Amino acid sequence: MKLGILGAGAEGSGLSALLRSEPGLDSIALADADEGRLRLAGERFAGLRSPVELTTTVVDAADPDAVAAWAADLDAVLNATLPHLNLAVMRGCLAASSHYMDLNSGPFEVEGAIPREETIDAQFELDDDFRAAGLTAVSCAGVAPGWVDLIARRAVEELDSVRSIVVRWVDRNDGSELVSTVGPGLIANFNMPTPLRWERGEITEVDLFESEETYDWPELGPIPVFTGFMHPELRTMHNLGVELERVEVKSGLSNGRWRSSPQIWIEALRRRLAADEPLAADLPSELGRAFISPERYEEAIDAGVVTEGAFAVCVEVIGRRGADEISRTDGLIVSLAEARDHIPWGTHMVLATSGTTPVVLLPMLGRGEISTRGVVGVGALPEWHSVLDKIEARGLRTWKRLDVRRTGS
């Protein structure tokens, strides 16, 4: 089996490390447009002394022909780049006859923010092409969305009806400086410009500060979370085959003495206003310049700027079974120490993202264990239970809360 990873950044290189002992895997083809990033990823993988061969190739993911030439002998490809490249990579995989999956996409078109070509619905417009080619394309197969969709599917299967699904996640670092485990320019965009949720058949605007909820996380304690801006789950949760009154995603950041997202935003803004430097083209990018980026997270650890971190995510599904109202919450937590046991250069966010759905589903695609042909969401896979079982067998720490309110005899 030969697998490809397009994108040699944190998630792509992290997944290569996780796949280093995958049974039946002969080689991993890693590609990126940045030669320096490829070289670093290749050197790190070589240090693992894996029996799996890793090749590195410079590829422009925006060029379907270049993607097709690179993917020609690959059984399945993970697209670990950004949503604006999804369609080009999908077309390249079609031409190469390779199965496809990605980590993220836009839920809906938003004028001035999310163009249609970056949306999940644009991906589904290639469904007939993938079916005709006998290929599978899986959209949004990371941790959130991805793992959360599988968890929600399991809860949905156990209920007679479902009223709401709420996804919550937090990224906690003990940094003495502002540090980021994701692209720093994305931090403000998690919740801004306009928080939104799905409510009774339409997208509804939410007041940011009224959405604040101090959620008590196992091990991490209380961390405020806020409703987000256009998270993909607003779209992917409708792949589960049930009518939903409400879908909402809430996220939170905590970094050393800055214990909440607003405190972090204010500190980032203060630093950029104090800096005697030209401003970036947009506010999210400008705020992002106040952070130590994921590419420098290793340096931050070596310098003692950050020593501990954790990523936690949970899915709350509320519905009915018989006469009872059920509230079921399933969660996952990954520490920085655990991440670095699996990926010596990785972070908790990287292990949560690559070490859940991608590390299981990509080999399943490569081995022909996924029966669906065409474009499909993770939660709609007929093999969803097998995927989830394999993820849980990898030993990541999970937790569960169950509330049953009896409303009848």
Side-chain angles (χ1 to χ4, degrees), residues 178 187-188 192 208-209 226 253 257-274 283 287 290-291:
L178 294 180
I187 287 175
M192 297 185 277
L208 176 65
F209 291 102
F226 298 81
L253 303 170
R257 62 190 177 94
W258 304 285
R259 296 291 297 173
S260 70
S261 299
Q263 290 179 15
I264 289 172
W265 297 328
I266 291 168
E267 177 62 14
L269 181 60
R270 184 197 67 76
R271 292 183 180 206
R272 294 314 303 158
L273 289 174
L283 183 58
L287 292 178
F291 292 80

Side-chain angles (χ1 to χ4, degrees), residues 83-97:
H84 73 276
L85 296 171
N86 284 353
L87 294 185
V89 179
M90 291 177 77
R91 292 187 177 107
C93 287
L94 271 170
S97 296

Side-chain angles (χ1 to χ4, degrees), residues 11 35 51 77-78 87 179 189 237 247 261 297 304 306 310 320 325 330 335 340 348 395:
E11 284 80 13
E35 191 170 355
V77 168
L78 172 71
L87 294 185
V179 295
N189 282 333
M237 289 300 172
V247 180
S261 299
Y297 199 93
V306 58
R320 300 190 71 84
E325 182 171 271
D330 292 87
S335 72
R340 294 177 75 80
H348 36 284

